[in-house]
């Protein structure tokens, strides 16, 4: 995708936790800080963007946040406010259930205003904003709180399950259930500019879709800002948080263009993963004569559900965009 990446792991696990069994350890806040100091002492800290995801505890969240804040201050000292952009995925839970310690929630609340773009799911957006999302009005209210009260420039809620009216039906007989991504870039007075993208949901179990969305968003938001500047002869990429001027329509926001492309890649990869998963599980069941206990079947399904990224590089680089952003 054209990015040189330095990865700082916050866990060292043998496999993702969707398998319900794993070996390994969580990285402590001290270890995170030491690794960062090691990068700095060798002058390996010249980063344009930062993506932070799953962090196992409140102290570790603070340690990761300190890295983001330090990189922000570095760009400001150089008088290049647009030279650093932080994408923060506040991984805390899903479907009404926390899978981190409760202390992680206030740790993120104290941190998100330092980020440029946050990528919560619906449950995480509720935790951060304090607004229970039950309809379009409460959804807008939650995003308004994140913009106005927390000062977050860009917000994308990655999995909105409440019904949202769409001008075009994206459901099919094979994928009758739909969900939406809802995003917004705030105006100069911290008001939302809302858009939504509805898409069909595959009836398959996947792990890592949030990580995939976040990683692709890093690439696509930068790409969209660069394209916007070239088309308009502007210097959006030099401004802090890459904030579009107030006269830019919600559907013309680089954030909306980036989200369209991210979802296009995800749809193609998930579709092919789902098709391959069914065939792989069926083949294992046939070889075993159908005699598989519940635990073994879950492990086989989990392995089959690993996102087929390397096999679908074309979908990552140049996807076909089917689902377009619409105004809320």
């Amino acid at each position: 995708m054209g990015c040189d990446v330095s990865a700082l792991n916050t866990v060292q696990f043998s496999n993702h936790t969707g398998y319900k069994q794993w070996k390994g350890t969580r990285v402590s806040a001290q270890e995170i800080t030491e690794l960062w100091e090691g990068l700095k002492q060798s002058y390996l800290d010249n980063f344009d963007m930062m993506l932070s995801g799953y962090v196992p505890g409140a102290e570790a969240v603070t340690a990761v946040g300190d890295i983001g804040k330090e990189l922000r201050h570095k760009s400001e000292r150089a008088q290049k406010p647009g030279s650093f952009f932080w994408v923060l995925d506040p991984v805390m839970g899903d479907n009404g259930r926390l899978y981190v310690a409760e202390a992680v929630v206030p740790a993120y609340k104290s941190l998100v205003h330092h980020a440029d773009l946050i990528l919560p799911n619906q449950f995480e957006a509720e935790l951060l904003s304090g607004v229970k999302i039950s309809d379009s009005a409460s959804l807008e209210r939650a995003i308004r709180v994140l913009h106005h009260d927390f000062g977050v420039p860009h917000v994308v809620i990655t999995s909105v399950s409440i019904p949202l009216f769409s001008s075009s039906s994206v459901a099919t007989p094979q994928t009758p259930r739909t969900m939406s991504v809802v995003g917004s870039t705030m105006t100069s007075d911290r008001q939302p500019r809302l858009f939504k993208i509805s898409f069909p949901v595959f009836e398959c179990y996947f792990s890592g879709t949030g990580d995939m969305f976040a990683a692709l968003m890093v690439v696509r938001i930068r790409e969209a800002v660069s394209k916007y500047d070239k088309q308009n002869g502007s210097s959006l990429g030099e401004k802090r948080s890459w904030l579009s001027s107030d006269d830019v329509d919600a559907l013309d926001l680089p954030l909306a263009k980036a989200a369209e492309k991210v979802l296009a890649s995800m749809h193609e990869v998930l579709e092919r993963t789902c098709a391959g998963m069914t065939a792989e599980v069926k083949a294992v069941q046939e070889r075993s004569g159908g005699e598989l206990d519940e635990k073994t079947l879950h492990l086989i399904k989990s392995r089959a559900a690993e996102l087929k990224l390397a096999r679908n590089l074309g979908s990552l680089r140049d996807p076909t965009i089917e689902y377009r952003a619409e105004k809320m």
Side-chain angles (χ1 to χ4, degrees):
M1 302 292 287
C3 297
D4 292 323
V5 177
S6 294
L8 199 162
N9 291 336
T10 55
V11 296
Q12 297 286 0
F13 286 168
S14 57
N15 48 272
H16 68 71
T17 57
Y19 283 84
K20 298 182 181 178
Q21 60 179 28
W22 64 89
K23 298 288 186 179
T25 59
R26 293 171 171 83
V27 177
S28 69
Q30 181 180 349
E31 288 170 315
I32 291 169
T33 301
E34 287 177 353
L35 289 169
W36 172 240
E37 292 297 330
L39 287 171
K40 287 196 297 181
Q41 72 181 9
S42 297
Y43 302 102
L44 298 173
D45 59 337
N46 188 29
F47 296 107
D48 303 311
M49 300 187 76
M50 172 173 157
L51 169 61
S52 56
Y54 174 73
V55 184
E59 290 184 356
V61 169
T62 300
V64 170
D66 288 342
I67 297 172
K69 288 186 282 187
E70 185 173 336
L71 287 167
R72 167 78 67 218
H73 294 153
K74 183 180 177 181
S75 69
E76 291 171 347
R77 285 196 305 271
Q79 297 185 335
K80 295 181 178 179
S83 65
F84 176 69
F85 192 95
W86 180 5
V87 180
L88 188 156
D89 183 3
V91 180
M92 295 182 284
D94 202 3
N95 299 316
R97 183 176 68 88
L98 279 174
Y99 40 67
V100 294
E102 289 187 9
V104 169
V105 179
Y108 270 124
K109 281 188 172 184
S110 67
L111 191 63
V112 290
H113 71 279
H114 294 287
D116 299 290
L117 165 62
I118 65 170
L119 304 173
N121 58 34
Q122 182 175 323
F123 176 60
E124 291 159 348
E126 291 175 340
L127 290 173
L128 292 172
S129 67
V131 177
K132 175 66 177 175
I133 298 172
S134 56
D135 53 23
S136 295
S138 56
L139 174 62
E140 180 176 352
R141 192 160 61 252
I143 292 176
R144 189 178 296 275
V145 167
L146 293 170
H147 282 325
H148 188 269
D149 296 2
F150 287 89
V152 181
H154 308 275
V155 177
V156 175
I157 302 181
T158 58
S159 55
V160 177
S161 57
I162 59 172
L164 296 175
F165 175 76
S166 176
S167 61
S168 59
S169 176
V170 298
T172 68
Q174 292 75 32
T175 53
R177 192 162 62 92
T178 64
M179 294 184 74
S180 299
V181 158
V182 176
S184 174
T185 293
M186 72 179 185
T187 60
S188 58
D189 59 351
R190 297 190 174 187
Q191 297 305 305
R193 282 177 279 188
L194 291 158
F195 64 86
K196 66 177 182 295
I197 308 173
S198 297
F199 55 92
V201 176
F202 296 103
E203 297 302 329
C204 291
Y205 165 80
F206 302 106
S207 281
T209 52
D211 295 332
M212 181 183 176
F213 188 98
L216 288 172
M217 184 58 79
V218 168
V219 178
R220 295 309 184 191
I221 186 65
R222 185 181 182 120
E223 176 187 74
V225 168
S226 177
K227 185 175 181 180
Y228 181 89
D229 279 345
K230 288 178 181 178
Q231 290 177 340
N232 296 277
S234 57
S235 55
L236 180 60
E238 297 177 7
K239 298 179 181 178
R240 175 167 176 164
S241 300
W242 305 343
L243 267 175
S244 302
S245 57
D246 291 354
D247 60 345
V248 177
D249 185 77
L251 301 188
D252 294 326
L253 293 168
L255 186 66
K257 300 301 183 184
E260 287 178 344
K261 209 159 187 179
V262 168
L263 282 175
S265 289
M266 293 197 64
H267 181 78
E268 292 182 15
V269 171
L270 294 182
E271 182 176 42
R272 291 164 190 174
T273 299
C274 190
M277 182 192 330
T278 303
E280 185 175 337
V281 172
K282 183 179 179 181
V284 173
Q285 288 176 319
E286 288 176 350
R287 287 198 301 270
S288 66
E291 307 257 339
L292 293 173
D293 60 75
E294 184 178 342
K295 178 181 178 180
T296 302
L297 184 59
H298 171 76
L299 294 173
I300 290 168
K301 286 182 176 180
S302 296
R303 186 183 66 188
E306 296 280 4
L307 301 179
K308 304 299 187 287
L309 299 174
R311 301 181 193 180
N312 295 288
L313 294 179
S315 295
L316 301 180
R317 294 187 181 121
D318 191 25
T320 300
I321 299 176
E322 292 185 56
Y323 310 109
R324 296 285 182 179
E326 300 177 277
K327 284 188 178 181
M328 286 282 290

